[in-house]
């Protein structure tokens, strides 16, 4: 049997293999995060974004986490309650609130990433910069295609209200 439902990864279509790999990596990520930190995957991603670009807005952090701002709110609330980030008013625009990682947040992030990274190094084969560039281009092209489909579906769905 060949085609979309092919059970043999050696023979399944590349798109299906990418989807299967994504599902399995997602489960592995969740297990690694759970094993090495009390933080959720979204909290870990939020702290990573702030460690790299401290002082982002809530909306910008949500974009880095690939979630909606409303989904991020309870995560930010919990991180703030645990002293891992703080909310600070933007001095140039009092309406804006910036999220800032604390020293405790940096430490929690460091500890979590050590364990999570070790689990991923164990399953990820080494790649040359050239191989990584090809893989990255391929995956980014898939993401761009998904973005286009989702945007088109959103436009079609929103026109139903006013039609």
């Amino acid at each position: 049997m060949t085609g979309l439902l092919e059970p043999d990864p050696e023979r399944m279509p590349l798109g299906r293999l990418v989807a299967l790999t994504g599902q399995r990596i997602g489960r592995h990520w969740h297990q690694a995060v759970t094993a090495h930190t009390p933080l959720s995957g979204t909290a870990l991603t939020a702290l990573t974004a702030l460690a790299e670009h401290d002082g982002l807005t809530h909306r910008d952090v949500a974009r880095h986490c690939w979630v909606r701002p409303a989904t991020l709110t309870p995560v930010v609330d919990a991180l703030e309650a645990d002293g891992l980030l703080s909310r600070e008013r933007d001095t140039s625009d009092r309406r804006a609130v910036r999220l800032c990682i604390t020293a405790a947040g940096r430490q929690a992030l460091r500890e979590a990433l050590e364990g999570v990274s070790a689990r991923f190094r164990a399953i990820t084969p080494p790649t040359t910069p050239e191989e990584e560039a090809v893989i990255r281009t391929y995956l980014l092209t898939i993401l761009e295609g998904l973005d286009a489909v989702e945007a088109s579906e959103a436009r079609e769905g929103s026109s139903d209200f006013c039609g």
Side-chain angles (χ1 to χ4, degrees):
M1 171 189 341
T2 58
L4 188 58
L5 299 178
E6 170 61 54
D8 180 2
E10 292 286 334
R11 296 178 40 201
M12 69 178 50
L14 190 55
R16 176 72 183 117
L17 183 59
V18 168
L20 175 64
T21 304
Q23 289 173 337
R24 303 240 354 242
I25 287 174
R27 281 197 305 268
H28 189 77
W29 164 258
H30 178 74
Q31 292 166 352
V33 169
T34 301
H36 294 285
T37 179
L39 300 171
S40 69
T42 303
L44 188 60
T45 305
L47 288 177
T48 300
L50 292 171
E52 294 175 7
H53 311 283
D54 206 16
L56 293 172
T57 65
H58 185 96
R59 182 172 303 285
D60 289 336
V61 173
R63 207 172 4 258
H64 279 272
C65 295
W66 293 79
V67 299
R68 290 185 169 90
T71 302
L72 186 64
T73 298
V75 174
V76 169
D77 290 345
L79 289 170
E80 184 179 37
D82 290 343
L84 303 179
L85 68 73
S86 63
R87 289 179 167 107
E88 298 179 11
R89 281 270 168 225
D90 186 322
T91 55
S92 62
D93 179 358
R94 300 286 300 156
R95 296 169 296 173
V97 174
R98 303 282 175 180
L99 302 178
C100 301
I101 190 168
T102 64
R106 287 185 191 282
Q107 181 62 32
L109 177 61
R110 233 182 337 271
E111 291 170 4
L113 289 180
E114 285 174 11
V116 172
S117 295
R119 282 197 55 171
F120 272 87
R121 278 193 304 276
I123 64 163
T124 308
T127 57
T128 66
E130 294 80 16
E131 290 170 326
E132 185 175 325
V134 169
I135 295 166
R136 183 175 305 281
T137 298
Y138 181 75
L139 294 175
L140 289 172
T141 301
I142 291 172
L143 288 175
E144 288 171 8
L146 289 170
D147 287 345
V149 167
E150 290 170 0
S152 175
E153 289 172 351
R155 282 192 304 275
E156 289 171 8
S158 66
S159 64
D160 290 344
F161 280 120
C162 301

